[in-house]
Amino acid sequence: MAKTILLQRLATLALAAACGAGGMAQDLKYVFMFIGDGMGMAQVDGTEMFLAARDSVIGARPLCFTRFPVATMVTTYSASNSVTDSAAGGTALACGEKTANGVIGMAADGRTPLTSIAAQAKGHGCRVGIVTSVSIDHATPAAFYANQPDRDMYYEIACQLPASGFDFFGGSGFLDPDGSGSGDDDATPVATLLDEAGYTVCLGMDEYRASDAGDKVIVLSDDPTAKSLTSAIDRRHGDMTLRQLTEAAVETLAGDSDDPFFLMVEGGKIDWSCHSNDAGAVFHEVLDLDSAVMVAYDFYLRHPDETAIIVTADHETGGLAIGNGGYTLALRHLASQRLSVEELSARLNAMSGSRRQTPAWDEIKDFLRTNLGFWQTVELTADEEAALRKEYEAMFVAHNAASEASLYSTNARFAATAIGILDAKAHISWASGDHSAGYVPLFAIGRGTEAMTHKLDNTDIPRILARLAGYGE
């Protein structure tokens, strides 16, 4: 108990020193909060080791954000369980309060609204942006502007966006844009509400660049049915990226003025890939988040005395283990992966359903060789090849293919089996397809972030940031 009290006092002293007896709060003008959804310690560590393995080096190649001078660990439990979901985790990071799993921007009773750090910043005269690689009404981004008892109330969440008055939103789109899931037959389309609130909506980066966007901008995918941006590992030329959205947000928020701003950026697809137990895709998503962080870091270099950057996570997903027995690790095998399990599944399904003639096993082997490196850079055992051949027979010969569902996708079992084999060859394993209660990391740089050098709870992060930036004054 005495040790706990001492640590609390040290943390308080550190915060007081960082705040400079109240003077620094007025100096922190630009706040960046990056949230890697599902990004635990192993997801970051694994990405750095993956980068080294691609270069045939044992060890780690550091990311941009792992070089930040402040690094610590964060607890993530919710008010209802030691394992949080993204709604409760996002609310803790947005509002500095614990809530029950499934609740967005409200207390655990599901009735009492909470005020997010983004809303505090707006009330303090800051410009505010919210960016994500998934839909804008998903749990984590929603926690910064909405107050709803159920994260699945997508239409009701979207309806609260215009009232926020935030200056920039970016993501794939909305999950219930016409309100068909709300039960209201007279629901006003979200697009109408946005127009009435004075938002300029741009579909894709080309439309954003060509537009004469006003003060309030929303950039969405040019595919209105997309539930997320394209996975980083599957990305093709012209696909919108998290980095591009972050650049557009900074451009909109900073503009030609020196107005203060708050920007939250979520790498939401890290979580989706973890739910699918697809390590190669996970590492590419962490790299994608890091690329977005570089935009903020470039801004920090121009305004080092006025900027703070925080990179953390709402929870860990999958119980990722880097090493699954023996003193061996072979992450180099993941460098041969060209497609996520979702895209692998989509292409296998297309090959199965678009032909009158069944593709030969050798043709399927060529497909797996090209996209996963099997029989080329990744040698398979007889048992592993037999497992793949069994799935081939079921899917392409018997036309009785099974599927495996994760939280955000349902994939052909053939594809899931292939990715499972690749992860096993790399000596990676997963505890589950869901969240865990493990610590998540926090990395920070900039004005006042030395107040975060001790172990934190997720609710501490927005409280410290709001105090440093003077949002509560």
Side-chain angles (χ1 to χ4, degrees):
M1 178 65 71
K3 184 177 181 181
T4 300
I5 293 173
L6 176 61
L7 289 172
Q8 290 173 340
R9 288 177 178 173
L10 288 173
T12 301
L13 289 171
L15 180 58
C19 290
M24 183 174 296
Q26 294 160 6
D27 294 332
L28 179 56
K29 292 175 60 176
Y30 310 114
V31 178
F32 293 86
M33 179 186 286
F34 289 86
I35 301 174
D37 199 317
M39 187 181 73
M41 301 286 198
Q43 281 79 358
V44 177
D45 189 24
T47 302
E48 293 193 321
M49 288 191 287
F50 167 68
L51 289 176
R54 288 198 312 191
D55 294 335
S56 300
V57 172
I58 295 173
R61 298 285 197 216
L63 303 170
C64 173
F65 65 76
T66 61
R67 302 184 198 203
F68 289 175
V70 173
T72 189
M73 62 187 74
V74 180
T75 53
T76 64
Y77 61 91
S78 74
S80 58
N81 202 288
S82 294
V83 179
T84 188
D85 77 332
S86 290
T91 297
L93 290 172
C95 305
E97 299 287 345
K98 296 288 187 184
T99 193
N101 288 349
V103 178
I104 295 288
M106 305 185 84
D109 60 12
R111 295 188 298 273
T112 307
L114 301 174
T115 302
S116 75
I117 184 174
Q120 287 180 307
K122 189 65 180 174
H124 192 65
C126 298
R127 295 171 66 78
V128 174
I130 304 295
V131 168
T132 179
S133 58
V134 296
S135 64
I136 296 175
D137 49 11
H138 225 256
T140 303
F144 286 82
Y145 66 85
N147 313 98
Q148 294 294 339
D150 187 340
R151 61 179 291 175
D152 293 335
M153 298 172 68
Y154 296 116
Y155 176 72
E156 291 82 357
I157 288 170
C159 286
Q160 288 190 275
L161 185 153
S164 72
F166 293 173
D167 305 272
F168 185 93
F169 287 90
S172 64
F174 297 93
L175 295 178
D176 189 13
D178 59 1
S180 58
S182 68
D184 182 0
D185 294 336
D186 297 320
T188 303
V190 173
T192 301
L193 297 175
L194 297 176
D195 182 63
E196 291 173 349
Y199 281 94
T200 299
V201 178
C202 304
L203 300 182
M205 293 308 303
D206 288 344
E207 189 168 312
Y208 166 76
R209 295 187 184 105
S211 70
D212 184 16
D215 292 333
K216 295 196 292 185
V217 183
I218 299 181
V219 182
L220 306 177
S221 169
D222 54 11
D223 177 4
T225 66
K227 295 182 179 180
S228 69
L229 302 189
T230 304
S231 295
I233 196 172
D234 300 324
R235 187 175 298 143
R236 299 294 179 263
H237 179 72
D239 290 339
M240 189 163 66
T241 71
L242 189 65
R243 180 187 178 101
Q244 290 174 335
L245 286 175
T246 305
E247 290 171 337
V250 172
E251 182 179 61
T252 299
L253 299 179
D256 297 325
S257 71
D258 61 353
D259 291 341
F261 65 74
F262 172 90
L263 174 61
M264 189 287 292
V265 178
E266 182 205 20
K269 297 279 286 192
I270 300 171
D271 179 62
W272 291 29
S273 297
C274 287
H275 278 293
S276 296
N277 289 172
D278 184 350
V282 169
F283 298 154
H284 280 83
E285 291 301 331
V286 175
L287 290 170
D288 204 47
L289 177 66
D290 192 54
S291 181
V293 173
M294 291 177 190
V295 176
Y297 184 64
D298 287 343
F299 185 91
Y300 160 81
L301 292 177
R302 299 193 299 274
H303 308 275
D305 297 328
E306 303 172 298
T307 305
I309 305 172
I310 309 299
V311 182
T312 190
D314 53 353
H315 54 75
E316 194 276 344
T317 301
L320 174 62
I322 310 298
N324 61 359
Y327 300 105
T328 56
L329 196 60
L331 296 183
R332 66 185 183 279
H333 291 317
L334 298 180
S336 301
Q337 184 176 346
R338 299 286 179 266
L339 302 175
S340 68
V341 66
E342 290 83 8
E343 183 63 20
L344 193 73
S345 176
R347 296 196 187 188
L348 287 169
N349 281 324
M351 294 168 71
S352 175
S354 64
R355 300 185 181 191
R356 294 182 179 178
Q357 183 175 357
T358 300
W361 169 237
D362 283 344
E363 184 178 348
I364 299 301
K365 286 181 68 174
D366 284 341
F367 173 76
L368 296 176
R369 183 179 293 110
T370 298
N371 293 297
L372 298 179
F374 287 172
W375 303 286
Q376 187 173 16
T377 57
V378 182
E379 294 298 325
L380 301 185
T381 67
D383 286 344
E384 288 164 344
E385 181 166 349
L388 292 171
R389 182 66 183 259
K390 179 181 177 181
E391 295 302 331
Y392 161 78
E393 296 285 346
M395 185 171 192
F396 290 95
V397 179
H399 298 289
N400 188 27
S403 61
E404 291 190 4
S406 66
L407 185 60
Y408 296 112
S409 64
T410 299
N411 302 306
R413 192 170 66 187
F414 191 175
T417 298
I419 292 296
I421 289 173
L422 183 61
D423 280 5
K425 301 298 283 190
H427 295 283
I428 282 176
S429 60
W430 299 86
S432 76
D434 219 325
H435 301 177
S436 77
Y439 287 127
V440 298
L442 178 141
F443 301 92
I445 191 171
R447 193 81 172 186
T449 56
E450 58 268 29
M452 299 182 175
T453 53
H454 56 294
K455 177 184 150 184
L456 298 168
D457 182 67
N458 52 11
T459 57
D460 295 327
I461 297 170
R463 292 177 181 179
I464 293 173
L465 284 174
R467 200 174 309 176
L468 291 172
Y471 294 159
E473 295 179 353

